[in-house]
Amino acid sequence: MDWARAIERNSEALKGIVAELFAMLGLAGEATVSRIPQPLHRAVLRVLRPAESAVRRLVVIAARGLVVKLAPSRPMPKPMPAGPIGKGGPSRPSFQLFDPRKNFAELHQHRRRFTRNPPRIHFFPYDTLSPARPTAADAPPPPDGLVNAERLSRRLQALKLALEDLPRQARRLARWRVRRENAESPKFRSPLRPGPPPGHRRKPVHQVDEVLAECHGLACDAMRPDTS
């Protein structure tokens, strides 16, 4: 398997997709956007999620067989005052190397608790109940139709930086694995969660879906132990 060629082909496709997302948001360089229309936020997120998953899998492929040595631990640095990036202000966004996990443990624990101790249900007269409080789902949309996009911008910036320097991300992942192996009881050891990757769609509707499918298959092959 020509791993270098596979990384190059898929990373070039993802760079084009990321460039399209930057154009959709009107971003350039390290700039961020504060508020955007909600439909635009959804449209960008529909492509950003599978793109992030595809890049994680490229990092897994790039880290195949990589051996690193952890540096000695250092004390936490003192917080710096806020300011421009690179001048004591917020650092560049860091790309998350592992898939967000689905919390099945809490669901199973919730079920076991109610199986052992069934809930006691009481009915009260309607007029004694206080009016229902509005939930976040019931909250009306903003009057101007705009939503906060700062976190979305940071995620997109982190994705772009990771694609521009995959070897660095591979070294980060190798160090992450070593720390997981040395931990007493880590929650998970693999950067990829079981099952379909985040952002996976059964029927491709965008180029990123095909890229993610290929990167996921290659990453699964790269993580298999070498039996030769």
Side-chain angles (χ1 to χ4, degrees):
M1 177 65 191
D2 191 347
W3 297 105
R5 176 58 185 152
I7 292 174
E8 181 183 1
R9 181 179 65 252
N10 287 285
S11 62
E12 289 300 321
L14 286 167
K15 287 178 181 178
I17 293 170
V18 170
E20 293 178 3
L21 295 180
F22 268 80
M24 291 173 64
L25 292 178
L27 293 177
E30 297 178 350
T32 59
V33 60
S34 56
R35 293 173 66 79
I36 60 175
Q38 195 170 33
L40 177 59
H41 190 281
R42 293 198 190 102
V44 172
L45 199 58
R46 279 195 295 267
V47 180
L48 179 60
R49 282 172 176 163
E52 289 174 331
S53 295
V55 172
R56 287 189 195 105
R57 280 141 185 82
L58 282 184
V59 175
V60 168
I61 300 170
R64 179 176 180 268
L66 188 61
V67 179
V68 296
K69 188 175 182 180
L70 293 181
S73 59
R74 297 178 296 177
M76 292 292 292
K78 295 181 179 180
M80 301 294 291
I85 293 178
K87 296 183 179 180
S91 60
R92 288 188 172 187
S94 179
F95 182 69
Q96 181 173 304
L97 295 174
F98 53 89
D99 290 338
R101 256 49 180 184
K102 295 181 179 179
N103 200 345
F104 295 109
E106 288 187 1
L107 179 61
H108 294 163
Q109 183 179 4
H110 180 75
R111 289 178 176 175
R112 287 196 300 269
R113 184 172 67 251
F114 282 136
T115 302
R116 297 175 182 175
N117 302 312
R120 298 179 181 179
I121 303 176
H122 301 276
F123 295 93
F124 299 93
Y126 178 79
D127 55 359
T128 63
L129 297 177
S130 59
R133 298 180 179 178
T135 62
D138 300 330
D144 57 1
L146 303 179
V147 295
N148 191 302
E150 292 183 359
R151 185 171 181 270
L152 188 72
S153 301
R154 297 279 291 178
R155 287 172 61 180
L156 189 54
Q157 293 283 358
L159 182 64
K160 180 176 180 293
L161 293 172
L163 269 174
E164 291 174 349
D165 196 355
L166 283 176
R168 178 177 179 272
Q169 304 303 320
R171 292 190 296 271
R172 284 183 60 213
L173 179 61
R175 291 192 294 268
W176 179 87
R177 283 174 170 168
V178 173
R179 288 192 292 268
R180 289 280 163 162
E181 292 174 357
N182 295 336
E184 293 184 0
S185 56
K187 292 183 179 180
F188 52 88
R189 297 181 183 273
S190 172
L192 309 184
R193 75 184 188 189
H200 166 77
R201 285 183 282 261
R202 292 185 178 179
K203 295 183 178 180
V205 297
H206 190 276
Q207 180 190 3
V208 71
D209 299 321
E210 299 175 358
V211 176
L212 174 57
E214 181 175 351
C215 291
H216 183 68
L218 292 172
C220 291
D221 291 340
M223 293 181 65
R224 291 193 181 98
D226 189 3
T227 57
S228 59

